Amino acid sequence: MLERYVHACSLTEASTEEPAATRERYKERFPRGATRRMTQLGLLIGGTLDELAPRADDAIVYASAYAESRALEGYLDSFPTASPTLFQTSIHPSAVQQTLIARQHPIQEFFPLTGRAHLAVQAMQVAFLSPAPRVLLCGGEERGTWLLEQRAASERTFAFALALSAEPAGALARVTLTPADDATSSVELTLPQFFDALRARQSLERVGAPGVCLGFSWL
Amino acid sequence: MPLPSAARLEATGCITALGDAVATHAALLRGEIALRLHPVLGAEGGEPVPLALAPGRGLDETAPPNWLAAVSALVAPLAGAGWGTARRPVFVTSSNFGVGSLHAFRSRNEPAHLAYGTPHNCVEWLVREVGWGPNVTTLSHACVSAHLGLLLATRALEAGLAERALVFSFDFISPFVTGGFHALKILNAGFPAPYSDRATGSIGLGDGAAFAVLSRGEGKRVGDFTVGAQSLHNEMHHFTANRADGAGFTACLAPLREAAAGRRLWLKGHGTGTLDAGRLESAALTAAFPEAPLVGWKGSLGHTLGSCGLVELALACQSIRTGRAPGTIGGVAPMFGPCVALDSFSTAGTDAVICASNAFGGAHAAFLLAHA
């Protein structure tokens, strides 16, 4: 069994808020001019990470099924004169990169994951495997428009960030990962489901990815 | 952070526009350039740019994607090994997945493309097609994606979470990605000349897919190479530029200097053909590993994006097996330093190669490939 402890938890949900409103809400939290170029997901991820005060020796694990849906929509709509800005902003790890570039904050390890049914537990496993003294596990989605109509984007806008370490003292929650065999069927634990569990301070015990049982107990 | 132990490389393979690993390596030794000029937006036209498409494949997306046959052939030898089960995880990496399908949907209004447009839809479909189980973790970190898969597979083995691990990476280009790099002006009518000191930088883009089977190397010895000293660094300085002092390259290579001490090395760099990155990368590699010859193969194959680390790993293995490494195809003197090797060379006097890749956001990744 692998074990880690949650020492900080930051959550935010923008529901159906438009990106412009989110940008206005966050403009004082980032260096002048930075928010103009940031996406809604970048702002939310940046806000949650900020509350955890990233350090130089942290590793960051980022999970998102759809990532930069609005930038992707804009980029696709820019054809045949493709937008260079929206192209670079639409890449999967962009939300975390927007934040850390705005802060000029280098890090050694950054693992951006994607997936669906097992994404939350897989991201947790990646965090557990990092040798960094502290791992910031963050994730989120932003609500799409025309991609959402095609079920190719999230219907919710939210973000979370957890600070994980091996130190139990003062922890908010204990997290365990226990190997499971192939005979134990895995059940879904999507990113929105994991976010809802964090928000409700709900403890979890489930084989949330093939071969891995997640235990999440609030202390 | 401590580097993970070396993982044994049981098997590897790739496909490029020049064929499988054996065919691609042989063609590179002959100096063949796979890149050809194609309209940047495929059937929609645009400026001709250098692209290296897999044999028989067009740039425009089809539904289902027209790269499935090539991928199925690549992974066919892996069938029946229980990939995707609890102790045999699969790490899939890509920078593009099937995102070109979303461009096809938007531009042609053909709903059939939507089934492949999101990363999870694309990977779930692919996993079903090739017959793997559900234990699949998916990563996407632009052009260092494949390196992350290798590192996580190594860590899963080291932690006892896996007995063997499969890393699979695929990137097939489409108007979505060619249009983007063209908009950034680094994909243009010019052919890439990696590490060449010239007035204008150019890249080419290419299709690529590859796999690596890793194990802890205990008990029965399988495979003739190890992947070790895997290192990462993220500058977080600018989306499309590196720090001017090259500190990001240096930081990524620093852990490898100790791991490679006493070895006789050659270097497989990233070498896309952009000027600033090429200058900084070659300077950092030469400073860290003086005298080691440096090559890059994207002047022939094009940049295979998130899969380049795994594609070029397979070609580095083939180079060591055959005793000859292809040179920097497409490079034209003067070069960024005397260590850039334009011609192929014998690997007989070396015992390891450092393989490095870079990505948007100033992301860097590198590892040491050596005989087991």
Side-chain angles (χ1 to χ4, degrees):
Chain A
M1 183 183 73
L2 304 172
E3 182 181 64
R4 294 289 185 277
Y5 293 87
V6 177
H7 284 268
C9 175
S10 176
L11 308 169
T12 185
E13 179 153 26
S15 191
T16 56
E17 183 178 70
E18 280 299 305
T22 307
R23 191 164 290 114
E24 181 65 21
R25 200 156 54 83
Y26 276 76
K27 70 179 183 185
E28 301 301 329
R29 300 180 65 163
F30 291 94
R32 183 177 296 275
T35 53
R36 184 171 49 85
R37 297 185 297 273
M38 292 177 73
T39 64
Q40 188 177 34
L41 185 58
L43 291 164
L44 295 185
I45 290 287
T48 56
L49 281 175
D50 267 0
E51 292 184 20
L52 275 49
R55 304 190 295 241
D57 60 350
D58 287 335
I60 295 182
V61 176
Y62 168 60
S64 182
Y66 300 101
E68 301 296 335
S69 296
R70 298 293 285 262
L72 181 56
E73 289 173 339
Y75 174 65
L76 289 166
D77 285 341
S78 72
F79 277 79
T81 312
S83 162
T85 305
L86 289 171
F87 175 59
Q88 67 193 43
T89 308
S90 70
I91 66 171
H92 186 76
S94 171
V96 171
Q97 290 179 323
Q98 291 168 47
T99 301
L100 297 185
I101 288 172
R103 303 266 184 243
Q104 293 290 290
H105 185 106
I107 53 168
Q108 186 175 342
E109 293 198 351
F110 172 37
F111 288 95
L113 280 85
T114 185
R116 191 185 63 81
H118 309 303
L119 180 56
V121 176
Q122 288 168 333
M124 192 66 80
Q125 181 167 307
V126 172
F128 273 47
L129 290 174
S130 172
R134 193 176 78 141
V135 179
L136 305 184
L137 169 58
C138 62
E141 306 288 356
E142 64 180 17
R143 182 181 169 86
T145 60
W146 62 263
L147 278 173
L148 174 58
E149 292 170 8
Q150 305 301 331
R151 303 179 65 187
S154 171
E155 57 187 16
R156 295 170 61 182
T157 302
F158 65 91
F160 67 88
L162 303 172
L164 295 159
S165 82
E167 175 59 53
L172 301 174
R174 174 176 178 262
V175 190
T176 59
L177 292 181
T178 309
D181 58 27
D182 284 307
T184 311
S185 299
S186 57
V187 294
E188 199 173 83
L189 184 59
T190 64
L191 217 56
Q193 289 169 342
F194 184 62
F195 174 79
D196 288 341
L198 291 175
R199 191 168 54 178
R201 292 218 154 202
Q202 174 193 345
S203 291
L204 297 166
E205 183 78 31
R206 69 174 74 172
V207 180
V212 188
C213 180
L214 169 75
F216 195 111
S217 307
W218 292 94
L219 301 174
Chain B
M1 271 179 245
L3 295 171
S5 304
R8 185 176 291 265
L9 187 57
E10 288 193 5
T12 187
C14 75
I15 49 168
T16 73
L18 295 173
D20 64 11
V22 172
T24 299
H25 176 260
L28 292 178
L29 285 180
R30 293 192 298 270
E32 289 184 20
I33 293 178
L35 293 163
R36 299 284 184 272
L37 291 175
H38 295 266
V40 65
L41 297 182
E44 294 178 38
E47 183 181 26
V49 296
L51 307 176
L53 300 171
R57 204 182 81 80
L59 179 64
D60 294 289
E61 291 288 346
T62 60
N66 55 14
W67 40 261
L68 177 62
V71 166
S72 296
L74 171 67
V75 302
L78 304 171
W83 295 119
T85 55
R87 301 273 79 78
R88 297 195 173 190
V90 180
F91 297 88
V92 172
T93 76
S94 178
S95 58
N96 285 281
F97 301 99
V99 72
S101 297
L102 294 181
H103 172 262
F105 165 73
R106 194 60 168 167
S107 60
R108 290 182 247 154
N109 197 27
E110 294 170 356
H113 294 281
L114 288 167
Y116 317 97
T118 65
H120 54 266
N121 281 348
C122 182
V123 172
E124 287 167 10
W125 163 74
L126 181 59
V127 164
R128 282 195 305 273
E129 290 289 331
V130 299
W132 296 337
N135 190 3
V136 176
T137 299
T138 309
L139 298 126
S140 185
H141 192 359
C143 304
V144 297
S145 297
H147 285 257
L148 299 193
L150 285 170
L151 180 53
L152 280 181
T154 304
R155 287 181 175 169
L157 290 163
E158 203 169 53
L161 297 176
E163 58 186 24
R164 299 169 78 203
L166 171 63
V167 185
F168 173 74
S169 194
F170 68 106
D171 277 285
F172 291 87
I173 55 178
S174 68
F176 178 98
V177 69
T178 54
F181 280 104
H182 187 253
L184 289 170
K185 303 189 186 307
I186 54 176
L187 179 67
N188 49 51
F191 277 66
Y195 307 122
S196 296
D197 190 358
R198 59 182 189 162
T200 305
S202 306
I203 69 167
L205 296 178
D207 287 339
F211 70 84
V213 176
L214 300 182
S215 70
R216 278 175 285 186
E218 296 165 347
K220 184 183 172 188
R221 291 201 151 208
V222 179
D224 45 0
F225 297 106
T226 61
V227 175
Q230 298 177 64
S231 175
L232 305 174
H233 183 77
N234 293 269
E235 294 181 23
M236 300 296 183
H237 170 66
H238 190 278
F239 257 101
T240 54
N242 297 107
R243 282 175 52 120
D245 60 3
F249 293 92
T250 303
C252 183
L253 295 174
L256 280 85
R257 293 182 65 174
E258 187 177 342
R263 289 190 178 271
R264 296 160 298 159
L265 297 170
W266 58 285
L267 311 170
K268 191 291 299 169
H270 190 58
T272 60
T274 57
L275 298 180
D276 289 343
R279 183 181 293 110
L280 292 168
E281 184 195 18
S282 57
L285 281 165
T286 301
F289 309 104
E291 312 300 326
L294 166 63
V295 296
W297 300 322
K298 293 184 178 71
S300 171
L301 305 177
H303 188 349
T304 56
L305 303 167
S307 300
C308 70
L310 214 52
V311 167
E312 293 167 9
L313 166 63
L315 298 175
C317 289
Q318 186 63 15
S319 298
I320 298 172
R321 283 194 194 102
T322 60
R324 197 142 195 98
T328 303
I329 295 164
V332 181
M335 312 303 292
F336 293 139
C339 290
V340 179
L342 287 175
D343 299 322
S344 65
F345 58 88
S346 169
T347 61
T350 66
D351 54 15
V353 52
I354 285 175
C355 299
S357 302
N358 308 315
F360 277 173
H364 302 269
F367 59 79
L368 184 73
L369 174 69
H371 273 292

